[in-house]
């Protein structure tokens, strides 16, 4: 896909996610919309992984440490053929459904249970180290939130990754500056993250995480540093829906009927603008 097609895909998947959350009255709306461009770039332009080869020796692994933003991931897995969209739309967040509020290995495409914040990077370090030992060409991508940088387990994993020179590991921080109870700096200040990760022997890059071209470019940039790589992706929480943008209360908020219709109209307008480019 070219960049324009990726932009359209991101808008389309934001719309499906918006619909899924509203129809089932459950989901982490702001966080889903925030990281949509990152996930679209990974799944449609960067990763060596598909529904047929996932789990094989040299196939890339994706771990979503910020597991609460699972609805956008479900929609991507459905679009890519890992799971059945009709089944997702029918059973999301229902009794005995595998499509729950956090990632689970019961869903094809999700190789690890996550959602207990701070655990994903440690998992990624383990997979990356194992891949090195097996001489695998696998690359490991881990998506974290900026709020979970307050977890001590993140820094233990970061130290291990730098110690073992895991240049087959790319961690991405969805850096939208908000978490469930306010700004990250007011809850538990973690900035400047770049300085901290460099001190742990990481190669650190920073990018506009809602600019598709920039995201693809940074994710495909060769890593010749012999270090793990961190991408600080500066994003807008609730991106694409003006009522939700930069609003901490949209961390787990469900749109009203009026907000829902207004959001659909905004996303349709964004798609129309892209179609006219």
């Amino acid at each position: 896909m070219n960049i324009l097609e990726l932009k359209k895909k991101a808008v389309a998947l934001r719309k499906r996610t918006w619909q899924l959350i509203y129809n089932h009255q459950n989901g982490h709306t702001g966080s889903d919309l925030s990281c949509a461009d990152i996930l679209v770039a990974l799944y449609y332009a960067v990763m060596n992984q598909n529904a047929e080869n996932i789990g094989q020796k040299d196939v890339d692994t994706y771990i979503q440490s910020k597991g609460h933003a699972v609805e956008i991931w479900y929609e991507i897995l459905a679009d890519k053929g890992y799971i059945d969209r009709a089944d997702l739309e029918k059973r999301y967040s229902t009794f005995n459904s595998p499509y729950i509020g956090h990632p689970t290995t019961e869903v094809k495409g999700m190789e690890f249970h996550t959602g207990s914040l701070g655990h994903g990077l440690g998992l990624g370090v383990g997979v990356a180290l194992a891949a090195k030992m097996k001489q695998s060409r696998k690359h490991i991508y881990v998506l974290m939130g900026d709020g979970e940088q307050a977890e001590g387990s993140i820094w233990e994993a970061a130290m291990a990754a730098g110690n073992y020179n895991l240049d087959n590991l790319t961690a991405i921080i969805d850096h939208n500056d908000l978490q469930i109870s306010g700004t990250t700096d007011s809850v538990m200040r973690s900035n400047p993250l770049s300085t901290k990760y460099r001190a742990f022997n990481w190669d650190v890059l920073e990018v506009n995480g809602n600019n598709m071209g920039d995201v693809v470019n940074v994710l495909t940039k060769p890593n010749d540093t012999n270090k793990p790589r961190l991408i600080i992706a500066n994003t807008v929480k609730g991106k694409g829906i003006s009522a939700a943008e930069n609003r901490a209360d949209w961390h787990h908020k469900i749109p009203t009927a009026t907000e829902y219709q207004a959001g659909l109209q905004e996303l349709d307008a964004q798609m129309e603008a892209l179609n006219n480019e």
Side-chain angles (χ1 to χ4, degrees):
M1 282 187 176
N2 61 34
I3 297 301
L4 179 58
E5 290 171 328
L6 292 170
K7 289 179 179 179
K8 291 179 181 180
K9 182 63 70 173
V11 172
L13 288 165
R14 278 190 172 96
K15 182 176 179 179
R16 287 195 176 274
T17 302
W18 185 246
Q19 292 170 318
L20 185 73
I21 289 170
Y22 179 76
N23 290 337
H24 290 272
Q25 295 292 289
N26 188 35
H28 285 81
T29 310
S31 194
D32 283 310
L33 298 172
S34 174
C35 65
D37 301 293
I38 299 167
L39 266 68
V40 167
L42 282 170
Y43 272 89
Y44 296 85
V46 176
M47 283 200 302
N48 167 33
Q49 188 200 104
N50 57 51
E52 286 70 45
N53 67 14
I54 186 171
Q56 296 178 14
K57 177 184 175 183
D58 294 322
V59 172
D60 295 343
T61 292
Y62 172 70
I63 300 170
Q64 188 158 305
S65 190
K66 48 170 286 177
H68 50 281
V70 72
E71 293 81 20
I72 183 67
W73 194 10
Y74 284 145
E75 288 294 351
I76 286 174
L77 292 177
D79 191 61
K80 295 284 289 185
Y82 291 77
I83 61 177
D84 180 69
R85 168 165 284 130
D87 190 44
L88 170 64
E89 291 176 349
K90 178 181 178 181
R91 296 206 292 151
Y92 169 65
S93 196
T94 60
F95 183 65
N96 278 340
S97 170
Y99 311 118
I100 57 176
H102 289 277
T104 166
T105 56
E106 292 182 37
V107 177
K108 184 176 180 180
M110 298 181 171
E111 298 184 71
F112 294 92
H113 298 283
T114 62
S116 183
L117 295 177
H119 289 186
L121 188 59
L123 291 171
V125 168
V127 177
L129 187 57
K132 290 277 190 182
M133 295 171 69
K134 295 178 181 178
Q135 298 182 317
S136 166
R137 295 189 298 273
K138 175 194 296 288
H139 197 93
I140 295 83
Y141 298 89
V142 179
L143 179 64
M144 301 181 285
D146 48 3
E148 70 176 313
Q149 301 305 303
E151 300 282 353
S153 52
I154 289 285
W155 300 103
E156 181 179 359
M159 181 167 58
N163 179 72
Y164 291 113
N165 301 109
L166 298 180
D167 56 359
N168 59 341
L169 172 65
T170 297
I172 308 157
I173 298 177
D174 180 14
H175 194 256
N176 58 42
D177 289 316
L178 291 170
Q179 56 192 96
I180 190 168
S181 54
T183 66
T184 52
D185 277 354
S186 66
V187 176
M188 179 60 70
R189 185 170 61 253
S190 58
N191 291 311
L193 288 165
S194 57
T195 304
K196 293 179 173 67
Y197 273 89
R198 287 191 179 106
F200 281 83
N201 197 40
W202 285 65
D203 177 50
V204 180
L205 302 173
E206 195 159 350
V207 69
N208 179 346
N210 293 133
N211 182 303
M212 187 63 72
D214 290 352
V215 172
V216 171
N217 285 340
V218 76
L219 284 170
T220 54
K221 181 183 170 86
N223 183 0
D224 55 5
T225 66
N226 197 37
K227 299 176 181 180
R229 171 168 285 170
L230 176 76
I231 298 171
I232 300 174
N234 296 309
T235 61
V236 174
K237 191 151 191 163
K239 178 67 176 179
I241 306 290
S242 59
E245 287 189 347
N246 279 318
R247 293 271 302 271
D249 61 336
W250 275 87
H251 182 83
H252 197 275
K253 184 178 177 182
I254 309 303
T256 64
T258 301
E259 290 168 336
Y260 174 66
Q261 292 300 328
L264 291 180
Q265 291 173 9
E266 282 189 86
L267 293 167
D268 287 343
Q270 292 167 30
M271 184 64 79
E272 184 177 357
L274 290 171
N275 287 332
N276 291 330
E277 285 192 10

